[in-house]
Amino acid sequence: MTNNVSIARLAWSLAEISKQTGLSVGYLRNEVRAKRLPVKNFGRRVLVLEPDLQAYLAQGSSCERGAREAVR
């Protein structure tokens, strides 16, 4: 008997985000340093909580925001 229960993802590593989005790990680290992508540290492990990742992706990059505001 198999259990088909789906568990929601709670957090992501930068490498996992990179693999899923195509953004480089270096770019993501820069976003963390600039405090645009919030993270939680657990020892040496850096994780991005799912709600923070969703908000970050919905917001887009600062370059994109600047271009949209310039068009208005």
Side-chain angles (χ1 to χ4, degrees):
M1 191 179 251
T2 61
N3 188 353
N4 292 329
V5 175
S6 177
I7 299 174
R9 189 74 186 246
L10 298 177
W12 300 81
S13 71
L14 296 182
E16 291 169 325
I17 295 169
S18 175
K19 189 174 183 180
Q20 293 296 317
T21 63
L23 299 171
S24 73
V25 173
Y27 176 81
L28 293 169
R29 285 188 182 127
N30 286 338
E31 292 293 279
V32 170
R33 270 187 230 109
K35 305 218 184 289
R36 290 187 287 262
L37 178 59
V39 296
K40 299 289 182 184
N41 294 298
F42 298 92
R44 291 177 47 121
R45 187 140 167 105
V46 175
L47 296 176
V48 179
L49 299 179
E50 176 68 21
D52 292 335
L53 177 59
Q54 291 295 332
Y56 173 78
L57 292 174
Q59 186 176 8
S61 74
S62 59
C63 295
E64 182 182 314
R65 284 191 303 274
R68 279 192 303 230
E69 289 170 4
V71 171
R72 290 182 189 174

mmCIF file of all heavy atoms in Angstrom, residues 5 7-8 10 18 21-22 27-28 36 38 40 42 46 56 58 66:
data_model
loop_
_atom_site.group_PDB
_atom_site.id
_atom_site.type_symbol
_atom_site.label_atom_id
_atom_site.label_comp_id
_atom_site.label_asym_id
_atom_site.label_seq_id
_atom_site.Cartn_x
_atom_site.Cartn_y
_atom_site.Cartn_z
ATOM 1 N N VAL A 5 0.275 11.005 -0.196
ATOM 2 C CA VAL A 5 0.122 12.298 0.447
ATOM 3 C C VAL A 5 1.197 13.245 -0.075
ATOM 4 O O VAL A 5 2.375 12.917 -0.083
ATOM 5 C CB VAL A 5 0.233 12.170 1.986
ATOM 6 C CG1 VAL A 5 0.200 13.529 2.649
ATOM 7 C CG2 VAL A 5 -0.868 11.278 2.510
ATOM 8 N N ILE A 7 3.300 16.618 0.371
ATOM 9 C CA ILE A 7 3.724 17.532 1.424
ATOM 10 C C ILE A 7 4.215 18.814 0.777
ATOM 11 O O ILE A 7 5.036 18.787 -0.135
ATOM 12 C CB ILE A 7 4.828 16.911 2.289
ATOM 13 C CG1 ILE A 7 4.302 15.649 2.969
ATOM 14 C CG2 ILE A 7 5.354 17.906 3.305
ATOM 15 C CD1 ILE A 7 5.335 14.870 3.731
ATOM 16 N N ALA A 8 3.693 19.961 1.242
ATOM 17 C CA ALA A 8 4.095 21.259 0.697
ATOM 18 C C ALA A 8 5.546 21.535 1.072
ATOM 19 O O ALA A 8 5.998 21.198 2.155
ATOM 20 C CB ALA A 8 3.195 22.357 1.240
ATOM 21 N N LEU A 10 8.569 23.614 2.369
ATOM 22 C CA LEU A 10 8.697 24.660 3.383
ATOM 23 C C LEU A 10 9.827 25.631 3.077
ATOM 24 O O LEU A 10 9.732 26.819 3.360
ATOM 25 C CB LEU A 10 8.919 24.054 4.764
ATOM 26 C CG LEU A 10 7.798 23.173 5.302
ATOM 27 C CD1 LEU A 10 8.198 22.579 6.646
ATOM 28 C CD2 LEU A 10 6.511 23.959 5.423
ATOM 29 N N SER A 18 18.180 27.892 -7.865
ATOM 30 C CA SER A 18 18.911 28.089 -9.109
ATOM 31 C C SER A 18 18.495 27.062 -10.157
ATOM 32 O O SER A 18 18.221 27.407 -11.309
ATOM 33 C CB SER A 18 20.413 27.992 -8.852
ATOM 34 O OG SER A 18 21.132 28.062 -10.053
ATOM 35 N N THR A 21 14.790 27.794 -11.312
ATOM 36 C CA THR A 21 14.482 29.073 -11.959
ATOM 37 C C THR A 21 15.436 29.439 -13.088
ATOM 38 O O THR A 21 15.107 30.291 -13.906
ATOM 39 C CB THR A 21 14.510 30.228 -10.941
ATOM 40 O OG1 THR A 21 15.841 30.352 -10.420
ATOM 41 C CG2 THR A 21 13.510 30.003 -9.824
ATOM 42 N N GLY A 22 16.621 28.853 -13.092
ATOM 43 C CA GLY A 22 17.618 29.237 -14.084
ATOM 44 C C GLY A 22 18.462 30.435 -13.648
ATOM 45 O O GLY A 22 19.366 30.851 -14.366
ATOM 46 N N TYR A 27 24.134 34.965 -8.561
ATOM 47 C CA TYR A 27 23.136 36.039 -8.605
ATOM 48 C C TYR A 27 22.264 35.995 -7.352
ATOM 49 O O TYR A 27 21.997 37.029 -6.734
ATOM 50 C CB TYR A 27 22.270 35.907 -9.857
ATOM 51 C CG TYR A 27 21.168 36.931 -9.915
ATOM 52 C CD1 TYR A 27 21.424 38.223 -10.358
ATOM 53 C CD2 TYR A 27 19.870 36.609 -9.527
ATOM 54 C CE1 TYR A 27 20.420 39.172 -10.398
ATOM 55 C CE2 TYR A 27 18.866 37.550 -9.561
ATOM 56 C CZ TYR A 27 19.144 38.833 -10.005
ATOM 57 O OH TYR A 27 18.144 39.772 -10.043
ATOM 58 N N LEU A 28 21.836 34.797 -6.963
ATOM 59 C CA LEU A 28 21.003 34.654 -5.773
ATOM 60 C C LEU A 28 21.754 35.089 -4.516
ATOM 61 O O LEU A 28 21.188 35.748 -3.649
ATOM 62 C CB LEU A 28 20.506 33.213 -5.642
ATOM 63 C CG LEU A 28 19.532 32.760 -6.734
ATOM 64 C CD1 LEU A 28 19.326 31.251 -6.673
ATOM 65 C CD2 LEU A 28 18.221 33.504 -6.632
ATOM 66 N N ARG A 36 17.528 41.654 -0.696
ATOM 67 C CA ARG A 36 16.318 41.577 -1.526
ATOM 68 C C ARG A 36 15.680 40.194 -1.462
ATOM 69 O O ARG A 36 14.497 40.048 -1.761
ATOM 70 C CB ARG A 36 16.654 41.950 -2.972
ATOM 71 C CG ARG A 36 16.986 43.419 -3.146
ATOM 72 C CD ARG A 36 17.156 43.788 -4.590
ATOM 73 N NE ARG A 36 18.403 43.280 -5.137
ATOM 74 C CZ ARG A 36 19.521 43.989 -5.266
ATOM 75 N NH1 ARG A 36 19.567 45.231 -4.860
ATOM 76 N NH2 ARG A 36 20.601 43.452 -5.795
ATOM 77 N N PRO A 38 15.209 37.333 1.329
ATOM 78 C CA PRO A 38 15.410 36.962 2.732
ATOM 79 C C PRO A 38 15.746 35.482 2.885
ATOM 80 O O PRO A 38 15.199 34.635 2.170
ATOM 81 C CB PRO A 38 14.077 37.285 3.397
ATOM 82 C CG PRO A 38 13.128 37.647 2.330
ATOM 83 C CD PRO A 38 13.850 37.701 1.025
ATOM 84 N N LYS A 40 17.072 32.256 5.877
ATOM 85 C CA LYS A 40 17.229 31.780 7.251
ATOM 86 C C LYS A 40 18.496 30.929 7.269
ATOM 87 O O LYS A 40 18.709 30.102 6.385
ATOM 88 C CB LYS A 40 16.041 30.915 7.695
ATOM 89 C CG LYS A 40 14.720 31.638 7.670
ATOM 90 C CD LYS A 40 14.660 32.656 8.763
ATOM 91 C CE LYS A 40 13.298 33.334 8.746
ATOM 92 N NZ LYS A 40 13.193 34.394 9.696
ATOM 93 N N PHE A 42 20.869 28.131 9.124
ATOM 94 C CA PHE A 42 20.890 27.006 10.047
ATOM 95 C C PHE A 42 22.296 26.439 9.989
ATOM 96 O O PHE A 42 22.601 25.608 9.131
ATOM 97 C CB PHE A 42 19.855 25.945 9.644
ATOM 98 C CG PHE A 42 18.442 26.466 9.681
ATOM 99 C CD1 PHE A 42 17.855 27.017 8.553
ATOM 100 C CD2 PHE A 42 17.728 26.416 10.861
ATOM 101 C CE1 PHE A 42 16.566 27.511 8.596
ATOM 102 C CE2 PHE A 42 16.427 26.914 10.909
ATOM 103 C CZ PHE A 42 15.853 27.457 9.773
ATOM 104 N N VAL A 46 21.936 27.690 4.244
ATOM 105 C CA VAL A 46 21.135 28.882 3.967
ATOM 106 C C VAL A 46 19.871 28.429 3.257
ATOM 107 O O VAL A 46 19.936 27.776 2.213
ATOM 108 C CB VAL A 46 21.921 29.870 3.069
ATOM 109 C CG1 VAL A 46 21.055 31.044 2.674
ATOM 110 C CG2 VAL A 46 23.184 30.337 3.771
ATOM 111 N N TYR A 56 9.478 37.066 -3.549
ATOM 112 C CA TYR A 56 10.635 37.533 -4.318
ATOM 113 C C TYR A 56 10.397 37.344 -5.819
ATOM 114 O O TYR A 56 10.642 38.255 -6.615
ATOM 115 C CB TYR A 56 11.894 36.784 -3.872
ATOM 116 C CG TYR A 56 13.091 37.091 -4.725
ATOM 117 C CD1 TYR A 56 13.797 38.275 -4.564
ATOM 118 C CD2 TYR A 56 13.516 36.201 -5.706
ATOM 119 C CE1 TYR A 56 14.891 38.571 -5.356
ATOM 120 C CE2 TYR A 56 14.606 36.483 -6.504
ATOM 121 C CZ TYR A 56 15.291 37.664 -6.325
ATOM 122 O OH TYR A 56 16.373 37.953 -7.122
ATOM 123 N N ALA A 58 7.547 37.004 -7.385
ATOM 124 C CA ALA A 58 6.431 37.841 -7.845
ATOM 125 C C ALA A 58 6.873 39.289 -8.027
ATOM 126 O O ALA A 58 6.387 39.988 -8.919
ATOM 127 C CB ALA A 58 5.283 37.764 -6.838
ATOM 128 N N GLY A 66 12.852 49.047 -12.168
ATOM 129 C CA GLY A 66 13.303 50.345 -12.649
ATOM 130 C C GLY A 66 12.864 50.596 -14.082
ATOM 131 O O GLY A 66 12.449 51.695 -14.427
#
